[in-house]
Amino acid sequence: MELIESKALEHNGLVKSVCDELGIKELVDKLLPPNSEMKLTHGERLIAMILNGLGFHSEALYLSPSFFDHLPLEILFGKEVQAEWLNDDALGRTLDAIDAAGSDVIFSRIAFAACKKAGVNSKFQHHDTSVMQLAGKYDEGVELVRFGRPKNGKKGVKQFLISLMVSNDGGIPLLASAIPGDSSDKTHFREVVTKLKNEIKESGEDIYHVADSALYTKETLLELASSPMKFITRVPYALKAAKEACLEYLEFTEIDENYSYSELENDYAGVKQRWILVLSKHAKKKEALTLHKAIRKERKEIRSQLKKLKATDYACASDAETALIKLEKGFKFHRIKDYSVEERGVRKKCFKIQSRSTICKRKLEPARLGLGKFIVATNELDTAKLNPEEILNYYKDQGKVERGFRFLNNPLCMADAVFLKKESRIRALVVVMCLCLLVYAIAEKKLRKILVETGETIPSQTKKPTQKPTMKWVFKLFRNIQVAYILHNDRLSKQIINIKPAAKTLISILQLHLKRFYEFPPEGCGM
């Protein structure tokens, strides 16, 4: 018995089984029919790119052949597949086909079918955008690539934005697209709402669009008002009515030890809506510290400015007073407590200022009243359908789309610097990246549900039993699982080795057809 070689199966069988259960290959091949010259269909190539994207190695997409060279492809694809069939040219043609058919359309069709099969509730949808950094040179005609506003804190970098909408149920991506790197969220959100409202009218479903304060503009609210779609969003504090509401002395109803609320009515932009004025104790404490630091900083700056005024000679008392008044206008939290203008000199007279500053209660009171407060608005007027606590909770769940962006920006999923030169392939690559997120999120949702239903647990990173593992941790539990190719009596067989107990538990409960990947008996596989 001789070990010929071993190949890394690891968590790739788990990823492939999820793709199979969701029917991704079949749907893609229906949308993008293969031709007779293709050794692998577009659906199979796309599955390969998903495996690459969820490999959690630092391999970039264009290095896929080297990635697949170490995988048991005949097991994963159920037929003979050679790594060179998955070269950058073949994958590039599939990316071209995806974009030619409409990247946005392809993704939404796959996501819709996958969510339907997985039983994902898409009633509440979270929407946001995030920066993706680019590397390399791009022609001026590439409209997608821009030196955008530094949304990710980096200035002067080439970028595009990913627009992503996920379900509240599991953070499953529903819509995804690449948009120019200098796009305005306010404009883009309105464009998405305009496109969606006709589809929602046809479906007849209750849909709640959840987004940050960029959604709260007159134009977008009017678009939402003309559709059956409801919104949940934060009201910008810069809005005069929002400031006034935060500064009112209102009674608050406690939700929990941190949050309390007061409910108001509003008709901004002519749209009837409910405003939930929220008071967060944790935020109030944090903002109070920030306010204290700002007051101290201003006091220090004022002392320096008053020192300069004191050293300045003025031609007359009026000039001295004017300079002092001008200085005081810039004070945010302070005022001049008292001052005097003294005449100095004998032959050449001049005037000097003596002054002190103090906290201005009139200026400080609004800042203190607004501490820890923010407003969440909705045009759902029926409190039986959506009470204040639910409105707040769904808005706080906006973090689910942020979690999706953290996944997409993880260099272990896809490199954060994209090296594709064609704009069409960048758009198509976003489809691949977001399909990776789709498969990952649905697998995680399904696993957690099964663990709760069966009462099973798996060990967490801290060795404690858990029913809420991340798929990234689950993937680690499948690490080092190999397919061993063994020659015995001139017959080549394959065996699965290095399966840990936790991985065996997952294989037995996941019900994702994993046995054909991880529990097949030794068998001949030819010479």
Side-chain angles (χ1 to χ4, degrees):
M1 185 177 295
E2 179 184 0
L3 176 63
I4 301 300
E5 65 175 335
S6 62
K7 293 192 174 184
L9 179 58
E10 299 187 330
H11 63 275
N12 294 292
L14 173 57
V15 173
K16 180 61 163 56
S17 68
V18 177
C19 293
D20 291 346
E21 187 174 82
L22 297 177
I24 293 176
K25 173 193 173 299
E26 291 73 18
L27 180 56
V28 172
D29 287 342
K30 185 177 180 180
L31 296 171
L32 306 172
N35 60 55
S36 58
E37 298 179 357
M38 296 172 61
K39 293 182 179 179
L40 292 174
T41 67
H42 289 304
E44 288 169 328
R45 291 174 181 173
L46 185 56
I47 296 296
M49 286 188 273
I50 292 173
L51 287 168
N52 190 176
L54 289 177
F56 285 92
H57 294 274
S58 58
E59 301 280 353
L61 185 62
Y62 65 90
L63 294 178
S64 290
S66 65
F67 172 80
F68 282 101
D69 190 47
H70 304 290
L71 299 187
L73 298 178
E74 80 287 352
I75 294 175
L76 292 170
F77 287 89
K79 65 178 185 180
E80 181 187 357
V81 175
Q82 297 179 20
E84 55 264 30
W85 297 354
L86 296 166
N87 57 52
D88 55 350
D89 183 59
L91 299 182
R93 288 197 297 272
T94 292
L95 292 175
D96 291 339
I98 289 172
D99 190 70
S103 297
D104 298 2
V105 174
I106 293 293
F107 182 82
S108 62
R109 292 284 296 274
I110 297 173
F112 177 81
C115 288
K116 189 174 182 181
K117 285 189 176 183
V120 176
N121 184 342
S122 58
K123 184 175 182 179
F124 291 87
Q125 304 175 349
H126 300 271
H127 187 203
D128 206 349
T129 64
S130 183
V131 168
M132 293 297 292
Q133 182 182 342
L134 290 154
K137 295 182 179 180
Y138 290 84
D139 297 332
E140 291 183 2
V142 181
E143 297 181 359
L144 198 63
V145 181
R146 290 286 186 269
F147 283 97
R149 64 193 187 284
K151 187 170 183 177
N152 63 349
K154 299 178 181 179
K155 296 182 179 180
V157 296
K158 291 183 286 292
Q159 65 183 40
F160 67 90
L161 301 181
I162 290 183
S163 172
L164 182 66
M165 184 180 291
V166 306
S167 65
N168 182 269
D169 180 18
I172 315 298
L174 306 170
L175 294 174
S177 62
I179 60 176
D182 58 354
S183 298
S184 161
D185 280 357
K186 291 180 180 180
T187 303
H188 176 65
F189 285 175
R190 184 167 65 254
E191 290 171 350
V192 171
V193 167
T194 302
K195 290 179 182 178
L196 285 178
K197 69 178 185 181
N198 292 330
E199 297 177 14
I200 293 172
K201 280 181 181 178
E202 294 175 3
S203 69
E205 298 178 358
D206 288 333
I207 298 295
Y208 292 83
H209 196 81
V210 188
D212 63 24
S213 60
L215 185 74
Y216 202 88
T217 68
K218 288 183 178 180
E219 296 80 6
T220 307
L221 293 185
L222 289 172
E223 282 287 345
L224 286 161
S226 65
S227 77
M229 190 166 22
K230 304 294 185 182
F231 65 80
I232 298 175
T233 184
R234 186 163 176 164
V235 181
Y237 186 75
L239 199 68
K240 182 180 178 181
K243 282 184 179 179
E244 292 174 349
C246 288
L247 299 182
E248 287 185 37
Y249 291 92
L250 301 170
E251 291 187 6
F252 285 81
T253 302
E254 188 176 283
I255 294 176
D256 54 34
E257 61 182 14
N258 181 32
Y259 291 104
S260 55
Y261 75 92
S262 184
E263 187 167 354
L264 309 169
E265 292 182 0
N266 193 276
D267 60 355
Y268 179 74
V271 178
K272 288 185 178 181
Q273 53 197 278
R274 295 157 62 199
W275 279 13
I276 309 303
L277 176 59
V278 181
L279 173 60
S280 166
K281 291 181 181 178
H282 294 162
K284 184 176 181 179
K285 185 177 180 180
K286 185 177 180 180
E287 291 171 15
L289 289 173
T290 302
L291 177 61
H292 181 63
K293 288 179 181 179
I295 293 171
R296 289 178 61 187
K297 182 179 179 181
E298 185 179 74
R299 184 185 300 124
K300 185 177 180 181
E301 291 174 353
I302 289 172
R303 286 174 179 171
S304 175
Q305 291 168 343
L306 289 177
K307 188 176 180 180
K308 290 179 181 179
L309 286 185
K310 184 179 179 180
T312 304
D313 294 338
Y314 294 93
C316 64
S318 177
D319 287 350
E321 291 177 352
T322 300
L324 196 60
I325 292 170
K326 183 179 179 181
L327 178 63
E328 188 182 34
K329 285 183 178 179
F331 296 173
K332 194 172 182 181
F333 307 111
H334 294 78
R335 65 178 177 82
I336 299 299
K337 183 178 182 181
D338 50 35
Y339 74 93
S340 63
V341 178
E342 299 176 359
E343 186 177 350
R344 301 281 182 88
V346 178
R347 294 183 179 180
K348 188 177 180 181
K349 293 184 178 181
C350 65
F351 294 83
K352 294 278 190 179
I353 292 176
Q354 295 291 336
S355 64
R356 292 189 302 163
S357 66
T358 187
I359 293 288
C360 179
K361 292 183 179 180
R362 178 180 57 82
K363 292 181 178 180
L364 190 58
E365 187 67 7
R368 284 179 170 166
L369 279 175
L371 291 176
K373 293 179 182 177
F374 61 92
I375 299 172
V376 181
T378 181
N379 59 340
E380 176 55 83
L381 304 179
D382 190 343
T383 55
K385 288 185 177 181
L386 209 59
N387 64 43
E389 183 176 351
E390 290 170 326
I391 293 169
L392 173 61
N393 287 336
Y394 282 120
Y395 177 74
K396 285 163 56 183
D397 280 345
Q398 185 70 359
K400 291 185 177 180
V401 70
E402 295 299 330
R403 182 188 177 207
F405 287 133
R406 286 196 297 273
F407 175 93
L408 296 175
N409 279 288
N410 188 338
L412 295 180
C413 169
M414 289 286 186
D416 62 348
V418 182
F419 290 88
L420 298 180
K421 300 301 179 185
K422 290 185 179 179
E423 183 173 327
S424 59
R425 290 191 177 181
I426 294 175
R427 288 193 296 264
L429 179 64
V430 169
V431 172
V432 178
M433 295 170 69
C434 292
L435 284 176
C436 290
L437 174 60
L438 176 81
V439 171
Y440 181 97
I442 286 180
E444 186 173 270
K445 170 181 163 61
K446 184 178 181 70
L447 171 59
R448 291 179 175 184
K449 181 181 178 183
I450 291 175
L451 288 173
V452 170
E453 290 176 347
T454 60
E456 295 278 359
T457 62
I458 63 170
S460 68
Q461 292 95 320
T462 57
K463 308 300 181 184
K464 295 180 181 179
T466 181
Q467 292 182 325
K468 291 186 176 181
T470 65
M471 285 310 295
K472 187 175 180 180
W473 171 244
V474 170
F475 288 171
K476 287 183 178 180
L477 296 177
F478 280 72
R479 185 184 294 168
N480 297 325
I481 297 179
Q482 302 279 319
V483 177
Y485 294 82
I486 300 171
L487 184 64
H488 181 61
N489 295 331
D490 295 328
R491 186 176 179 82
L492 190 64
S493 63
K494 54 184 182 289
Q495 294 181 9
I496 301 294
I497 59 176
N498 300 333
I499 299 184
K500 297 178 181 178
K504 287 183 178 180
T505 300
L506 288 167
I507 291 168
S508 67
I509 67 173
L510 266 174
Q511 305 169 16
L512 290 169
H513 314 293
L514 289 178
K515 288 187 177 182
R516 65 190 176 95
F517 295 113
Y518 295 101
E519 293 187 0
F520 57 85
E523 59 177 319
C525 59
M527 288 294 295

